[in-house]
Amino acid sequence: MTSVPHHAEAGGCPFHQANREGVASPTGCPVSAAAVAFDPFEPPYQLDPAEALRWSREQEPVFYSPKLGYWVVSRYDDIKAIFRDNLTFSPSIALEKITPPSDEALAVLERYGYGMNRTLVNEDEPAHMARRRELLDAFTPEALEAHAPMVRRLVREKLDAIVDRGRADLVAEMFWEVPLTVALHFLGVPEEDMEQLRRFSVAHTLNTWGRPSPDQQVEVAEGVGRFWQYSGQVLEKMQRQTQGKGWMYDMIEKNRQKPDVVTDNYLHSMMMAIIVAAHETTALATANAFRQLLSRPAVWAELCANPELIPAAAEECLRHSGSVVAWRRRATREVTLGGVPIPEDGKILMVTASANHDPSHFENPDELDIYRDNAVDHLTFGYGSHQCMGKNLGRMEMRIFLEEFTRRLPHLELEEQAFTFLPNTSFRGPEAVRVRWDPARNPERRNPAVRTAQRDFPVGAPEARTIVRRVRVTRAEPEAEGVLGVTLADPAGRDLPAWSPGSHLDVVLPSGEARKYSLCGPVESGDWCIAVLNEEAGRGGSRWVHESVREGIEMRVRGPKNHFRLDETARRYLLIAGGIGITPIIAMADRLKSLGKPYELHYAGRSRTSMAFIERLERDHGEALRLYPKDERHRLDLAGLLAEPMNDTLLYACGPERLLTALEAGTTHWPEGSLHVEHFTSEGALLDPTKEHAFEVELTDSELTVEVPPDQTLLQALRTAGIDVPSDCEEGLCGTCEVSVVEGGIDHRDKVLTPAERRGQDRLMSCCSRAKGKTLVLAL
Ligand code: HEM
Ligand code: FES
């Protein structure tokens, strides 16, 4: 028996609170009262599946549901572990009817010759990957880019039709029809009977993931049977054409070339399943996103003012209120999951909506935060070798909808309404989203150019670097000679997010480039304060700050981010700052003082007049402070300070590179991990194609092999192959793009990993590090 992340003793039953009825799971384990009561077709789950499973996330993350006959899993790590291992957890039941069909319904389906079988999403290995690899070409960034003008045109036509009206149900007007038309275009399927197709797909959803009553079962089976027949007819028509364009034609062609890989039954089953997979998911996701954003007018206003955030906002909506909320797997052998034994053939419902609200992975998970930088880790698209192939098309559609609406109807409001949902376990989105606006206030009435002034976004996961916040300067005054202190606030007067010592902001310059500046506190004030040294020999960022930043202006920043986190568990601390490196160190000193921890602060600089914060430091940290102004001939004696290694002491340092290098050299006899330094630049991360060699990466979770040419970083190559790896600095400084390495020699180029971590050869920073040899095997 193998086990995946567990929360109780493996093998045994972790939950002994037998319910009054004495219900037991198939393994004999007593089922708790909450598990007995769980019913995904009841309102709590239908209205908000993540909330309905809060009790499970907190108390019983894997439980048997007698009503469903499934093992329900609710935590992020457990669900990701299931997605990772598609041999132990087979996807074969992904499209099985969750409610066993009645005899009458079966008879109806038989009458239509219904034979839905294996597609991609419910196919086991090795057949699945052989097929998926054959069909990937339509999803490269370039191939998808070519669909953007069509999506734009469709959204614009629909918006033109309502823009002067003042009221609309966006689902009825466009959220269904546009994704359906896009899906048909993408597949190459003729756009006929759109309304009929919509009814068919509702029947398919109810048939597969719903609990239709005995009467409804027959009606639903009629719809599904006709959908099956219709798909067959369309397929035949397409098979007769030789010149068609679209993903379905790619499949037809592969079926001719490799009938054992892309089989006949696959073609017919896929024809039906894909119309739903490609359009209903996206339609519901868009409806969820508009509902969530518009029900928070301040967030909607922020998005209208700062449209760069649209990709991040769409991703956050997919996390917070995804359109696929649960997915299924079957245990192919006995296995322990979260400490709970699951028998062979046990059916598993992974509630991905619950995973997306797991506080162990997402901070303040119930908040819709369009600045969240790890939203892309959500499981709404699944994960691993079956991860949604169409995710980047879905993302593109959501972004274009949001971009058109925030630009043309920023004054859009949600009407008072009760939202309703089609009752089923897996697909979720409101059946209507009714909105209103005052057409007299439409910006395009004053400026017709607004109608077409579009903004495009690159295909793929949003990059953390696009998450930019507008802030207002409330103070800009000299802090010392050549050092400008700047205090920032939210332009709308809201609280800015809290930060911790060691955090920095990326200040975005008018050129689009960014510079990192540490927040210098005090932390308790909640203020964002930075201090910027005017560096004559610098790259121009600090000069711009000194020349242009004044009280009252708006600036654009990313963060706060913390790559220099203070470990608060040590007994003692040595803080060392050189020049403007005092900025993160002073915030750490404040924190250590408030924690009552012993610390020394050594601060070196040119002269007292050029050293920032001296007054504040003398006032707040007088006893711990040692100042070394060079012009007073006080020199920091590093060799003396570091001579005796101290087991109970951590060192934190920031300053010029030569100070950091000297510290690294001077602490080699200290316990490993004692020294923590903050780097602001990293030369190692610059790619020089003339000095690089190509290599190959094998991805174990996705079962793909990706080529990394000399002129691409590993991160870029992974993204081109459709693998979402979060990134931020892309210079080897932050650790965001870390991936686990299973095998192969690593050429480390980052400034994040410690020497011990490097020796472990089990992880790398994909934005800069490469393979030493010809191949690397990654757990991705
Ligand atoms: C698979 C969600 C849009 C095509 C999946 C899976 C989910 C999903 C949860 C199963 C993943 C797994 O088992 O790991 C979504 C959502 C979408 C969306 C939330 C929109 C917001 C699309 C679009 C297309 C598409 C637009 C087609 C153009 C597929 C295909 C698979 C799939 C072909 C099967 C992949 C495989 O098993 O190898 N999707 N999907 N999806 N999706 Fe999507
Ligand atoms: Fe920051 Fe790679 S993205 S280390």
Side-chain angles (χ1 to χ4, degrees):
M1 235 197 263
T2 50
S3 66
V4 275
H6 72 98
H7 318 283
E9 226 169 277
C13 172
F15 308 108
H16 304 292
Q17 68 274 46
N19 57 87
R20 255 182 276 134
E21 297 133 82
V23 181
S25 78
T27 51
C29 186
V31 178
S32 71
V36 171
F38 175 73
D39 187 338
F41 300 102
E42 291 290 324
Y45 182 95
Q46 289 304 313
L47 294 175
D48 188 344
E51 187 53 37
L53 278 156
R54 182 186 296 278
W55 67 272
S56 161
R57 278 195 304 283
E58 289 172 358
Q59 299 158 31
E60 206 183 335
V62 179
F63 66 90
Y64 181 75
S65 158
K67 285 201 178 120
L68 207 54
Y70 273 68
W71 300 82
V72 180
V73 187
S74 60
R75 280 193 187 160
Y76 186 91
D77 286 348
D78 289 333
I79 295 185
K80 195 148 180 184
I82 298 175
F83 273 128
R84 280 207 143 104
D85 181 356
N86 61 7
L87 297 181
T88 307
F89 302 102
S90 155
S92 58
I93 59 166
L95 300 181
E96 196 174 276
K97 294 173 198 45
I98 202 157
T99 303
S102 64
D103 290 345
E104 290 87 342
L106 281 176
V108 173
L109 290 174
E110 204 168 318
R111 184 154 45 78
Y112 283 100
Y114 178 71
M116 169 67 107
N117 200 337
R118 299 281 151 228
T119 61
L120 274 167
V121 82
N122 59 353
E123 180 65 284
D124 281 314
E125 304 305 343
H128 161 259
M129 267 325 282
R131 192 173 289 162
R132 179 165 166 135
R133 278 191 207 103
E134 291 294 335
L135 298 172
L136 274 171
D137 290 353
F139 297 94
T140 61
E142 302 78 58
L144 290 178
E145 204 79 71
H147 296 290
M150 175 255 305
V151 179
R152 178 75 66 175
R153 178 175 53 74
L154 292 169
V155 174
R156 211 169 265 178
E157 276 170 16
K158 292 289 176 196
L159 194 44
D160 285 344
I162 61 161
V163 76
D164 292 318
R165 204 192 286 167
R167 288 186 80 177
D169 167 7
L170 296 180
V171 175
E173 296 288 348
M174 61 186 92
F175 290 166
W176 270 91
E177 200 175 321
V178 172
L180 180 53
T181 317
V182 172
L184 297 179
H185 269 282
F186 174 78
L187 297 170
V189 173
E191 292 163 43
E192 291 159 14
D193 306 328
M194 301 268 279
E195 212 16 67
Q196 173 132 313
L197 272 177
R198 182 180 168 180
R199 280 198 301 276
F200 282 165
S201 49
V202 168
H204 175 59
T205 302
L206 283 176
N207 183 48
T208 314
W209 295 281
R211 189 191 282 165
S213 66
D215 289 350
Q216 283 170 330
Q217 283 224 10
V218 172
E219 193 188 321
V220 164
E222 277 289 338
V224 172
R226 284 172 55 214
F227 193 6
W228 176 255
Q229 233 175 29
Y230 174 84
S231 316
Q233 287 156 4
V234 176
L235 180 60
E236 270 175 33
K237 198 154 60 171
M238 291 174 77
Q239 280 173 315
R240 285 196 295 273
Q241 282 183 15
T242 45
Q243 294 293 311
K245 263 186 137 172
W247 195 42
M248 235 15 249
Y249 284 103
D250 293 358
M251 297 190 206
I252 292 170
E253 187 50 36
K254 294 284 176 188
N255 169 255
R256 286 197 190 108
Q257 293 167 4
K258 299 184 178 174
D260 50 331
V261 177
V262 179
T263 60
D264 289 344
N265 179 275
Y266 164 78
L267 272 193
H268 192 168
S269 299
M270 190 63 172
M271 183 74 200
M272 178 167 151
I274 190 63
I275 292 178
V276 179
H279 106 264
E280 195 170 333
T281 49
T282 314
L284 297 173
T286 310
N288 285 331
F290 273 76
R291 175 196 171 193
Q292 294 300 340
L293 290 166
L294 290 171
S295 61
R296 294 167 177 79
V299 177
W300 176 258
E302 179 60 19
L303 199 58
C304 295
N306 195 357
E308 257 176 295
L309 287 172
I310 285 172
E315 209 66 22
E316 172 66 350
C317 290
L318 283 164
R319 180 199 72 82
H320 184 277
S321 284
S323 51
V324 177
V325 296
W327 212 241
R328 287 178 286 167
R329 292 289 189 261
R330 179 181 59 85
T332 56
R333 59 187 170 86
E334 208 182 327
V335 61
T336 300
L337 191 63
V340 177
I342 307 238
E344 184 176 341
D345 273 336
K347 293 181 177 185
I348 298 168
L349 185 76
M350 304 173 278
V351 185
T352 43
S354 169
N356 290 345
H357 283 250
D358 186 337
S360 73
H361 198 89
F362 299 103
E363 226 165 286
N364 292 327
D366 302 328
E367 195 182 318
L368 185 90
D369 176 4
I370 57 178
Y371 293 101
R372 190 184 294 278
D373 57 10
N374 71 341
V376 70
D377 289 349
H378 68 75
L379 297 176
T380 303
F381 291 128
Y383 177 79
S385 62
H386 283 272
Q387 197 192 36
C388 178
M389 289 169 87
K391 62 186 177 182
N392 288 333
L393 186 59
R395 283 172 168 147
M396 176 197 289
E397 293 181 56
M398 291 175 73
R399 292 170 189 180
I400 291 179
F401 270 121
L402 286 170
E403 204 274 330
E404 288 285 330
F405 272 89
T406 49
R407 174 165 42 79
R408 295 182 63 186
L409 293 178
H411 47 307
L412 197 67
E413 286 173 13
L414 209 53
E415 285 201 4
E416 195 71 23
Q417 63 201 293
F419 292 99
T420 57
F421 302 87
L422 189 70
N424 76 95
T425 55
S426 296
F427 282 60
R428 183 170 181 279
E431 289 174 307
V433 175
R434 281 191 291 279
V435 290
R436 61 164 178 256
W437 66 98
D438 177 3
R441 288 174 55 207
N442 289 2
E444 61 203 58
R445 292 213 178 166
R446 290 185 304 281
N447 176 10
V450 170
R451 185 180 164 273
T452 49
Q454 76 191 50
R455 173 189 289 262
D456 293 308
F457 303 103
V459 168
E463 292 170 58
R465 62 175 59 219
T466 61
I467 304 180
V468 177
R469 184 186 293 271
R470 294 171 311 120
V471 284
R472 172 152 314 126
V473 176
T474 55
R475 177 183 158 270
E477 279 168 24
E479 206 68 68
E481 242 170 54
V483 178
L484 186 68
V486 180
T487 305
L488 304 165
D490 183 89
R494 288 181 298 250
D495 283 347
L496 287 170
W499 57 279
S500 50
S503 298
H504 72 270
L505 296 178
D506 288 341
V507 169
V508 182
L509 307 177
S511 63
E513 283 179 85
R515 299 285 183 273
K516 298 181 191 340
Y517 297 109
S518 295
L519 286 164
C520 33
V523 173
E524 295 73 33
S525 71
D527 281 346
W528 286 5
C529 300
I530 54 173
V532 180
L533 173 68
N534 194 358
E535 288 176 273
E536 297 295 337
R539 292 170 294 164
S542 65
R543 201 172 330 123
W544 175 79
V545 172
H546 277 256
E547 284 169 6
S548 313
V549 171
R550 297 285 169 267
E551 187 182 323
I553 71 155
E554 245 181 38
M555 286 171 72
R556 298 189 317 139
V557 301
R558 296 194 293 252
K561 306 165 185 184
N562 200 341
H563 308 153
F564 188 39
R565 214 170 269 282
L566 181 65
D567 174 347
E568 296 182 353
T569 59
R571 225 182 60 73
R572 280 170 25 88
Y573 294 83
L574 260 183
L575 305 177
I576 301 173
I580 197 63
I582 189 65
T583 50
I585 297 296
I586 190 172
M588 290 183 170
D590 289 345
R591 175 71 185 155
L592 291 174
K593 186 177 172 189
S594 74
L595 290 175
K597 296 265 183 175
Y599 63 97
E600 280 175 25
L601 199 175
H602 298 264
Y603 178 17
R606 209 161 23 84
S607 64
R608 279 175 190 264
T609 49
S610 73
M611 291 163 71
F613 302 120
I614 291 208
E615 232 171 78
R616 186 175 133 199
L617 287 167
E618 285 181 333
R619 187 190 67 211
D620 296 344
H621 303 285
E623 283 188 16
L625 184 68
R626 312 279 180 279
L627 292 177
Y628 307 95
K630 199 169 163 193
D631 64 350
E632 293 176 22
R633 300 185 186 279
H634 287 294
R635 298 298 286 262
L636 168 58
D637 173 18
L638 273 189
L641 191 63
L642 305 173
E644 275 305 313
M646 287 176 268
N647 282 328
D648 59 353
T649 302
L650 289 181
L651 282 90
Y652 284 84
C654 185
E657 277 300 310
R658 58 178 163 24
L659 170 70
L660 304 185
T661 314
L663 275 165
E664 268 158 22
T667 50
T668 45
H669 58 302
W670 280 60
E672 188 136 0
S674 301
L675 176 66
H676 299 262
V677 298
E678 169 90 312
H679 289 278
F680 282 101
T681 53
S682 159
E683 275 83 45
L686 295 176
L687 188 69
D688 178 354
T690 59
K691 297 194 178 129
E692 306 296 351
H693 67 272
F695 59 99
E696 229 177 49
V697 282
E698 284 172 28
L699 311 181
T700 51
D701 293 347
S702 324
E703 301 193 32
L704 285 179
T705 302
V706 175
E707 295 284 336
V708 187
D711 60 349
Q712 253 189 354
T713 64
L714 170 56
L715 181 69
Q716 288 163 338
L718 290 170
R719 291 213 169 127
T720 308
I723 309 294
D724 298 338
V725 177
S727 74
D728 188 351
C729 69
E730 302 195 2
E731 291 182 71
L733 298 171
C734 72
T736 313
C737 64
E738 178 175 313
V739 297
S740 299
V741 178
V742 181
E743 220 179 284
I746 309 164
D747 177 359
H748 288 289
R749 305 198 182 169
D750 64 277
K751 299 248 182 193
V752 181
L753 297 176
T754 64
E757 287 167 337
R758 286 177 179 214
R759 279 195 303 276
Q761 291 279 312
D762 61 354
R763 65 189 88 169
L764 61 71
M765 297 305 143
S766 57
C767 68
C768 56
S769 300
R770 303 179 73 85
K772 266 204 180 118
K774 289 253 174 282
T775 27
L776 277 178
V777 183
L778 305 180
L780 266 181

